[in-house]
Amino acid sequence: MADTRHLLRFPFHHLWIFVFLLLSIHGYSFYLPGVAPQDFFKGDVLKVKVNKLSSTKTQLPYSYYSIPYCRPQEIVDSAENLGEVLRGDRIENSPYEFRMRVPWMCNIVCRITLNEKTTREFKEKIDDEYRVNMILDNLPLVVPVTRLEQDSHVLYQHGYLVGRKVWYAGMKVEKYFINNHLTFTVKFHKDEQLDSARIVGFEVKAFSVKHQYDGEWSDDTRLTTCDPHAKKLVNGSDLPQEVENKKEIIFTYDVEFQESDVKWASRWDTYLLMADDQIHWFSIVNSLMIVLFLSGMVAMIMLRTLYRDISKYNQLETQEEAQEDTGWKLLHGDVFRPPVNSDLLCVYVGTGVQFFGMMLAAMIFAVLGFLSPSNRGGLMTALLLLWVLMGIFGGYATARLYKTFKGSEWKTITLKTAFMFPGVVFIVFFVLNGLIWGEKSSGAVPFGTMFALVFLWFCISVPLVFVGSYVGFKKSGMEDPMKSNKIPRSIPDQSWYMSSTFSILIGGVLPFGAVFIELFFILTSIWLHQFYYIFGFLFIVFIILLVTCAEITIVLCYFQLCSEDYRWWWRSYLTSGSSALYLFIYAITYFFTKLNITKPVSGILYFGYMLIASYSFFVLTGTIGFCACFWFTRLIYSSVKID
């Protein structure tokens, strides 16, 4: 009898050690700053840059100067990486300038008079709750918000609101007020020896105030509502500035400096602090323990059952005895028969391997801190480049499986691998970009960036897929443990719970459950414009997802083979891949329960991008399940003796 115990053991104690090592990273991973620190001496000029206007209601970013804010003499665009452009960032200079550690009160930026067009533009942005984003020394501008709970941490919202809309019930009218006075707070950490300082915080409080002055307006005009000489500061009790046609708006700002104990290397910690931190910790750890415990139990049951089956089959003395028995051994002549549409399966498996390699490498870089939020757009840029580079592994996996199916047209299958998944994603992305372009949003990808994406695809990704496919096809194909019969075996009628539809749908529940909690935080960070920097947790969830997809697919595949149904190829892919269906259903639920999107275009963008995410999740989880099942079937059929 062949000893198969060493083949079927699974080192769960190693997995637990690895998991706890990851937890020791504290869930938030390391932070390696994306830029070198800059020292400022007293009186040095600090230049504030402006970024896009963003809204959680429309999800359509606009450039800062798309509405008539105060402008510098010349608008200069900052150099942006690929990820920043795809995010819709548009970083430009501004008329706001400070002097390091020199407080400034009631500085007048500019004075404008509204007309019908500019009034309408401001009102539209206030209606859609747009926020103004600024940057100082690579730190984003934030508004501190204190929660009502005692001893709660201060939370930070990105940017300040353009204005607010107030409904007066008695007058039955609504009025729009613009935030035209900004009180900036620049926090710095001082070096006592050099008398230099580093910026560690950039906060703002926005006010709406109807500025007053005496006489005619001139360059020397002093405001009566905000006067540094009289030490009169703007506060929330001032008469607000209404947005109406032919009304005059004066934009002003204060700046104060606060010394902080926070060091430059830790200045992002407050930005990355998430709401409901304890809930997040307990939920993730609880999910981790439950899923790992259930997965371990299922795996142990499977290993004991399989060992007993293999021992029993190998102890049968005659072929007649084997044929009298039932179970998965009877399918040895059909279980490795190539499936229907085997070419398409090869393409999906190769694409999934490419996607898995991209995700794994990105996770490792993120956990090590190389994709810090200080490097805006770094994560998206890294994902695109890793996808391109992983094309060599995708082509290799496709060719190896294709040759196992005795295929010969390797160039055709390679072209499908290089173009099918990216092509579908690109078409959806192109249509969505057209809608964004129609809204004149800065989120629309410019022609130059679109050309760069196509260049990466055609000139780097496609050749790498061909290189991998060529290498894979040159290798000898994987020999099946059993030879397939010429005549397919008839499949007996299956119980309702063993039907392909039920099996596939039930198989996606556990993988989706493994990522359910983390998915909420990811969607919140993407669609509610919050930072996400808990890649330690995300890496743990990714491992749980991998193990869960593999085990649930193996279990259901074993039950299927015991029911004498040998059509496991596609079902193994769809079993774990069906978790993408639950992901999309959850995205629909999240849209109606958590988001306040009202514009049709914004809704189309949301569902379009979530469709891409769900499709990618299908390819990833389906490939994990298929590879696990592929290994499992080859293992058990190579472990029995066939006379």
Side-chain angles (χ1 to χ4, degrees):
M1 182 183 73
D3 187 3
T4 59
R5 284 174 291 183
H6 66 286
L7 294 173
L8 297 175
R9 292 197 190 103
F10 186 83
F12 278 98
H13 59 288
H14 292 166
L15 178 62
W16 281 103
I17 293 172
F18 182 59
V19 166
F20 281 112
L21 283 175
L22 280 175
L23 276 175
S24 66
I25 298 176
H26 195 258
Y28 292 90
S29 76
F30 301 104
Y31 165 59
L32 300 178
V35 293
Q38 187 172 358
D39 295 315
F40 297 95
F41 293 91
K42 188 172 182 177
D44 284 353
V45 176
L46 305 178
K47 295 185 178 181
V48 177
K49 295 182 179 181
V50 292
N51 200 348
K52 62 188 176 184
L53 306 175
S54 59
S55 167
T56 57
K57 289 185 67 175
T58 68
Q59 303 296 333
L60 293 170
Y62 288 90
S63 65
Y64 177 82
Y65 296 112
S66 62
I67 53 179
Y69 275 126
C70 302
R71 297 171 176 246
Q73 291 183 349
E74 181 184 2
I75 298 176
V76 180
D77 293 329
S78 298
E80 296 170 348
N81 59 42
L82 183 59
E84 285 179 303
V85 176
L86 294 176
R87 279 163 36 101
D89 288 345
R90 297 295 181 268
I91 303 174
E92 299 158 309
N93 62 327
S94 78
Y96 295 94
E97 287 190 0
F98 312 149
R99 294 279 179 178
M100 186 65 178
R101 293 157 59 191
V102 178
W104 209 343
M105 291 174 54
C106 199
N107 186 52
I108 299 173
V109 186
C110 74
R111 167 181 168 269
I112 65 171
T113 302
L114 298 179
N115 54 35
E116 290 185 4
K117 180 185 177 185
T118 54
T119 300
R120 184 176 65 255
E121 289 172 344
F122 274 122
K123 285 185 175 182
E124 287 176 353
K125 295 298 182 290
I126 294 173
D127 254 331
D128 292 329
E129 299 178 5
Y130 271 88
R131 308 186 77 91
V132 179
N133 296 283
M134 295 183 177
I135 300 170
L136 176 64
D137 190 35
N138 204 42
L139 275 180
L141 180 69
V142 292
V143 178
V145 178
T146 305
R147 293 189 293 183
L148 297 178
E149 296 88 346
Q150 264 190 334
D151 300 328
S152 61
H153 296 287
V154 176
L155 302 180
Y156 296 95
Q157 294 180 339
H158 291 225
Y160 64 90
L161 288 169
V162 173
R164 68 183 190 275
K165 181 171 63 174
V166 178
W167 171 257
Y168 293 94
M171 302 170 58
K172 294 184 179 180
V173 67
E174 58 184 15
K175 293 188 176 182
Y176 294 81
F177 301 108
I178 187 172
N179 289 322
N180 60 322
H181 179 85
L182 305 176
T183 299
F184 294 105
T185 300
V186 179
K187 296 184 177 181
F188 64 93
H189 183 78
K190 188 177 179 181
D191 187 333
E192 298 294 344
Q193 295 179 346
L194 300 177
D195 197 35
S196 63
R198 294 176 178 177
I199 296 174
V200 296
F202 186 34
E203 301 175 4
V204 70
K205 290 182 180 178
F207 299 94
S208 179
V209 54
K210 183 176 176 60
H211 284 300
Q212 305 288 342
Y213 55 90
D214 297 326
E216 295 293 326
W217 179 264
S218 68
D219 293 339
D220 299 325
T221 297
R222 287 171 55 177
L223 302 175
T224 58
T225 48
C226 178
D227 190 354
H229 301 282
K231 295 185 178 180
K232 179 174 176 53
L233 296 176
V234 171
N235 55 59
S237 62
D238 293 303
L239 186 67
Q241 175 64 60
E242 187 178 354
V243 178
E244 280 296 333
N245 186 26
K246 298 182 180 180
K247 288 256 179 135
E248 175 187 76
I249 300 178
I250 299 174
F251 290 91
T252 57
Y253 71 92
D254 304 331
V255 58
E256 60 180 14
F257 292 85
Q258 290 183 3
E259 189 169 356
S260 173
D261 294 331
V262 177
K263 295 183 178 180
W264 185 87
S266 304
R267 65 178 186 166
W268 277 87
D269 291 353
T270 53
Y271 291 83
L272 304 178
L273 183 67
M274 296 189 66
D276 302 322
D277 185 55
Q278 290 298 320
I279 295 176
H280 184 84
W281 262 99
F282 285 122
S283 298
I284 291 296
V285 173
N286 184 57
S287 175
L288 171 71
M289 296 305 155
I290 291 176
V291 172
L292 283 181
F293 176 75
L294 290 177
S295 300
M297 291 297 293
V298 169
M300 293 305 296
I301 292 171
M302 287 297 303
L303 296 182
R304 290 176 63 88
T305 305
L306 274 174
Y307 178 68
R308 186 173 61 250
D309 284 351
I310 293 173
S311 299
K312 181 177 66 175
Y313 286 139
N314 286 340
Q315 288 173 359
L316 295 176
E317 296 180 355
T318 64
Q319 183 70 17
E320 289 77 13
E321 287 179 313
Q323 290 180 352
E324 289 174 2
D325 200 47
T326 58
W328 54 268
K329 185 185 176 185
L330 297 180
L331 304 179
H332 65 83
D334 298 277
V335 73
F336 296 108
R337 188 183 306 280
V340 179
N341 295 324
S342 59
D343 291 7
L344 184 61
L345 181 62
C346 295
V347 171
Y348 268 110
V349 171
T351 303
V353 169
Q354 184 176 357
F355 203 88
F356 177 80
M358 177 196 75
M359 291 298 296
L360 182 62
M363 292 276 189
I364 293 173
F365 283 125
V367 168
L368 294 177
F370 292 107
L371 301 179
S372 70
S374 64
N375 181 15
R376 281 177 303 275
L379 179 60
M380 189 170 293
T381 304
L383 289 175
L384 284 171
L385 295 179
L386 286 171
W387 166 263
V388 169
L389 296 176
M390 292 298 167
I392 191 168
F393 297 103
Y396 180 83
T398 298
R400 290 284 286 156
L401 185 60
Y402 183 65
K403 194 163 186 180
T404 301
F405 291 149
K406 305 298 188 291
S408 57
E409 300 294 329
W410 73 275
K411 294 180 181 178
T412 303
I413 202 72
T414 304
L415 282 173
K416 291 179 180 178
T417 304
F419 286 100
M420 194 180 74
F421 177 81
V424 172
V425 173
F426 185 81
I427 290 172
V428 176
F429 174 75
F430 188 80
V431 172
L432 296 178
N433 191 64
L435 294 175
I436 300 174
W437 196 281
E439 295 291 323
K440 299 179 180 179
S441 167
S442 65
V445 177
F447 174 78
T449 306
M450 193 70 73
F451 176 79
L453 293 175
V454 174
F455 176 83
L456 287 173
W457 181 13
F458 280 81
C459 299
I460 301 179
S461 179
V462 174
L464 286 177
V465 173
F466 265 90
V467 169
S469 184
Y470 177 79
V471 174
F473 201 77
K474 282 295 182 182
K475 286 183 170 290
S476 58
M478 293 176 283
E479 294 295 330
D480 295 329
M482 304 287 180
K483 292 184 178 180
S484 299
N485 297 330
K486 293 182 179 179
I487 301 175
R489 179 187 178 88
S490 60
I491 300 173
D493 294 334
Q494 302 291 308
S495 304
W496 65 270
Y497 53 83
M498 288 306 301
S499 64
S500 58
T501 303
F502 181 81
S503 178
I504 289 170
L505 290 177
I506 204 69
V509 174
L510 195 56
F512 173 74
V515 300
F516 170 75
I517 297 176
E518 201 64 27
L519 182 63
F520 171 80
F521 290 96
I522 293 173
L523 291 181
T524 300
S525 66
I526 294 174
W527 299 108
L528 296 182
H529 303 164
Q530 297 179 8
F531 280 120
Y532 184 90
Y533 198 62
I534 47 174
F535 293 113
F537 274 133
L538 187 61
F539 194 40
I540 294 170
V541 172
F542 182 70
I543 295 172
I544 297 174
L545 176 67
L546 191 153
V547 174
T548 308
C549 286
E551 289 187 345
I552 194 65
T553 307
I554 288 173
V555 169
L556 293 178
C557 179
Y558 174 72
F559 291 153
Q560 178 187 353
L561 296 177
C562 288
S563 300
E564 301 180 24
D565 186 353
Y566 55 82
R567 298 169 301 182
W568 64 273
W569 296 94
W570 273 108
R571 191 185 290 194
S572 65
Y573 197 99
L574 298 174
T575 295
S576 53
S578 65
S579 56
L581 175 63
Y582 298 103
L583 171 60
F584 192 73
I585 293 174
Y586 178 74
I588 296 173
T589 305
Y590 186 87
F591 178 84
F592 288 106
T593 58
K594 300 297 180 182
L595 299 182
N596 190 25
I597 293 177
T598 54
K599 288 189 175 183
V601 172
S602 302
I604 294 172
L605 291 177
Y606 174 84
F607 287 109
Y609 285 128
M610 290 311 301
L611 185 64
I612 293 176
S614 300
Y615 184 38
S616 304
F617 194 69
F618 165 75
V619 172
L620 174 65
T621 55
T623 300
I624 294 172
F626 172 83
C627 292
C629 206
F630 184 74
W631 166 82
F632 172 74
T633 52
R634 296 177 68 85
L635 177 68
I636 62 174
Y637 282 98
S638 62
S639 301
V640 296
K641 297 181 296 184
I642 302 296
D643 295 330

